[in-house]
Amino acid sequence: MNSFDVVVIGGGPGGYIAAIRAAQLGLTVACIDEARTAEGKPALGGTCTNLGCIPSKALLQSSENFEQASHHFGEHGVRVKGVELDLQAMLGRKDKVVKGSNDGVLYLFRKNKVTFLHGRGSFGKAAGEVVVNGETHTAKNVIIATGSNPRALPDAAFDEKLILSNTGALAIPKVPKKLGVIGAGVIGLEMGSVWRRLGSEVTILEALPAFLGAADEAVAKEAAKVFAKQGLNMELGVQISKVAAGKGVKVDYKGADGAAKTLEVDRLIVSIGRVPNTTGLNAAGVGLKLDERGFIAVDADCRTNLPGVWAIGDVVRGPMLAHKAEEEGVAVAERIAGQKPHVNFNTIPWVIYTSPEIAWVGKTEQQLKSEGVDFRTGMFPFSANARARVLGDTTGLVKFLAHAKTDEILGVHIIGPQASEMIAEAVVAMEFRGSAQDIGMICHAHPSLSEAMKDAALAVNRRALNI
Ligand code: FAD
Ligand code: NAI
């Protein structure tokens, strides 16, 4: 038996970052993670590294390269003949990127003197006891960071061959001729884009009548237009009645007009959200409270109902994003060390890594209207941005929402090239409670995509210089 100041259960972005920060603060720390590679080795980094952010972005990059070489290099006068897809090489590269990240976390644990325990962790007889591989360790503090699992459709369990969660969607061994996707959320759009670029005919079925309801309407409208032009078939307002797997997959559903329809595909990705993972923790045994949706119940500071037990990341309320999990991990470690950190939920950026990318932070126009906030809007299209024209990537726009009286930035919404990188400027400005004028007064390099930020900010006060 060992005693630690902190034991973290789960080595994803929430857990491993919490462990490192706690160790930096001089606490004795162990992190338990059960994930393993096909060879049985530790696969630290959680869903994000193994089956989420990293492999999906690797495939998005590779498939975009394939699409560019196949269809767009000619526009630059670069003639490429006989472009061929080597899917096994593409999947192999993705696995290599993942392995590099797994090893990176192990290295960081060694560097920061975090004890890594490979196995499944669960509470022992009391909340201060954690059992792993049959051994009990005591902990003054336990941080639960056990993440989430994909939600399945009723009566259509994932077999990862025909009915795929993110796990199968990231490793399809042969490009399906027809690919179905249930759910036009983040995974549906990203994985749908990957396989469409590689040659699949992709059809996405979405339950909600509005496309990308969480995004600003201007961005969602532009995105729907662009994705349709790319050939991503999308049907909104559907109700799935039955999914049957045989040679391929048959999906019976009701269309928005109530008509009974059938979609027959070679494989089906089901991406209808994720559920918190508390399996095998012995949560009930120690009296750990879950909320009505199965998340571990926590207060604003990630404290559970048990003294000295904290929970962070996908297993608690809030957006299921790696950087949100990380922020909570750092904050909890600092609270344990007696500091008073704060996580600002209003400045957590969202990114969808499609092409064009979609990114936003803060409120949407719909939200501001429903809250009765007096605001002004500034928009700037990438078609008027010199760098975007140089890149040959002029789709999309930047939209600023600022308070009508104070000019404080309330939300920034981008659809366009490198939106994932550009949104950081808006996050910084909002964190410092900056105004649209602040961004408009800052010198931005020319020619750069970031100039679209400046022009959109200037447009709030009708001062854009390039439109
Ligand atoms: P996880 O990353 O899920 O880690 C939990 C870890 O705990 C796992 O390693 C698991 O094996 C381990 N574990 C669970 N129970 C136990 C136990 N009892 N004992 C020991 N170990 C245990 N987010 C982004 O911000 N950007 C993206 O681009 C992005 N892309 C995504 C793409 C896909 C396809 C998916 C599925 C998700 C994506 N996400 C993305 C979401 C992101 O992966 C999650 O929000 C993030 O991983 C949550 O981190 P976490 O630490 O809470 O949990
Ligand atoms: P999601 O919540 O983004 O989207 C799920 C979609 O499925 C919604 O549009 C929902 O209306 C729809 N849906 C739900 N039930 C349905 C049904 N029965 N029939 C048809 N449609 C249905 O969830 P998703 O895409 O599974 O991703 C899970 C989470 O992972 C995301 O919420 C996000 O937090 C995270 N993620 C983040 C990424 C990023 O940051 N770039 C990338 C991928 C995932």
Side-chain angles (χ1 to χ4, degrees):
M1 179 191 282
N2 285 307
S3 291
F4 296 94
D5 293 324
V6 181
V7 169
V8 185
I9 308 179
Y16 88 75
I17 288 289
I20 290 171
R21 183 69 188 123
Q24 281 178 349
L25 291 163
L27 301 164
T28 55
V29 186
C31 181
I32 305 171
D33 191 90
E34 65 180 345
R36 33 190 93 238
T37 62
E39 298 78 41
K41 300 236 172 72
L44 272 164
T47 301
C48 172
T49 300
N50 295 301
L51 300 161
C53 326
I54 303 305
S56 62
K57 264 82 263 179
L59 288 184
L60 278 156
Q61 185 60 51
S62 299
S63 60
E64 179 63 15
N65 289 350
F66 179 65
E67 172 137 306
Q68 289 295 326
S70 303
H71 305 293
H72 301 292
F73 276 9
E75 295 157 22
H76 294 263
V78 181
R79 268 195 237 132
V80 192
K81 279 199 195 127
V83 176
E84 275 179 46
L85 172 68
D86 181 346
L87 182 60
Q88 296 321 310
M90 196 179 276
L91 295 173
R93 175 187 178 274
K94 176 234 358 168
D95 293 340
K96 218 166 135 192
V97 174
V98 167
K99 188 174 178 306
S101 299
N102 294 144
D103 294 347
V105 180
L106 263 180
Y107 159 79
L108 290 171
F109 276 0
R110 276 196 300 274
K111 183 176 165 214
N112 288 282
K113 303 200 171 36
V114 172
T115 303
F116 171 52
L117 304 168
H118 194 202
R120 170 166 285 196
S122 67
F123 286 107
K125 290 198 193 77
E129 283 180 11
V130 180
V131 183
V132 56
N133 301 327
E135 204 177 337
T136 302
H137 303 275
T138 59
K140 288 189 196 133
N141 291 275
V142 177
I143 304 175
I144 306 167
T146 46
S148 62
N149 290 319
R151 183 201 306 278
L153 279 166
D155 304 321
F158 296 115
D159 59 15
E160 305 301 359
K161 289 194 170 70
L162 292 171
I163 303 178
L164 317 174
S165 71
N166 53 303
T167 304
L170 289 161
I172 305 178
K174 188 172 159 233
V175 178
K177 205 160 169 289
K178 290 190 173 190
L179 176 70
V181 179
I182 313 277
V186 199
I187 295 181
L189 291 173
E190 290 187 353
M191 296 316 300
S193 294
V194 165
W195 294 104
R196 180 200 61 72
R197 290 171 193 164
L198 299 182
S200 290
E201 184 187 325
V202 178
T203 304
I204 307 183
L205 302 178
E206 164 61 44
L208 292 177
F211 175 60
L212 267 187
D216 188 271
E217 262 169 17
V219 166
K221 215 169 117 197
E222 178 77 3
K225 209 170 69 191
V226 180
F227 295 149
K229 205 167 144 205
Q230 289 174 353
L232 213 50
N233 307 313
M234 211 150 350
E235 218 178 310
L236 304 176
V238 311
Q239 200 181 324
I240 308 295
S241 331
K242 195 175 159 208
V243 173
K247 212 162 152 258
V249 186
K250 203 167 141 219
V251 183
D252 294 328
Y253 66 100
K254 229 196 273 173
D257 57 0
K261 297 185 175 183
T262 300
L263 174 73
E264 292 195 52
V265 289
D266 300 310
R267 296 185 193 239
L268 182 73
I269 297 174
V270 177
S271 47
I272 55 168
R274 296 177 63 84
V275 290
N277 171 28
T278 53
T279 336
L281 268 181
N282 187 26
V286 290
L288 181 69
K289 206 170 136 200
L290 306 186
D291 70 15
E292 59 290 347
R293 296 189 302 150
F295 290 89
I296 295 177
V298 287
D299 67 9
D301 290 344
C302 294
R303 284 187 184 84
T304 69
N305 65 313
L306 303 174
V309 179
W310 312 73
I312 58 171
D314 279 12
V315 79
V316 304
R317 83 286 174 267
M320 287 184 167
L321 295 173
H323 41 287
K324 175 264 194 183
E326 290 181 24
E327 293 302 312
E328 287 182 335
V330 167
V332 164
E334 291 178 352
R335 271 177 209 123
I336 290 171
Q339 299 183 359
K340 291 192 166 46
H342 173 66
V343 177
N344 185 356
F345 273 74
N346 297 322
T347 54
I348 294 177
W350 278 86
V351 178
I352 308 178
Y353 293 82
T354 42
S355 179
E357 292 184 345
I358 297 170
W360 72 88
V361 59
K363 303 272 170 129
T364 61
E365 180 161 338
Q366 309 89 277
Q367 281 172 324
L368 293 178
K369 278 185 180 151
S370 75
E371 289 168 15
V373 178
D374 204 4
F375 65 94
R376 292 163 71 101
T377 307
M379 284 218 249
F380 189 82
F382 281 104
S383 56
N385 173 271
R387 184 72 191 276
R389 287 202 305 275
V390 168
L391 292 173
D393 201 352
T394 52
T395 312
L397 54 95
V398 178
K399 175 171 173 179
F400 265 67
L401 298 163
H403 197 280
K405 291 204 177 67
T406 64
D407 197 39
E408 179 173 349
I409 302 166
L410 303 174
V412 176
H413 305 268
I414 310 172
I415 174 166
Q418 300 290 330
S420 56
E421 301 296 333
M422 287 174 60
I423 198 67
E425 180 178 8
V427 176
V428 172
M430 286 182 65
E431 197 60 52
F432 288 111
R433 301 198 62 180
S435 64
Q437 194 184 6
D438 287 332
I439 298 286
M441 286 167 66
I442 292 170
C443 183
H444 289 67
H446 177 77
S448 72
L449 296 168
S450 70
E451 285 175 295
M453 294 286 282
K454 176 173 173 142
D455 263 314
L458 287 170
V460 169
N461 294 303
R462 309 293 165 253
R463 287 191 42 197
L465 296 163
N466 290 292
I467 36 167

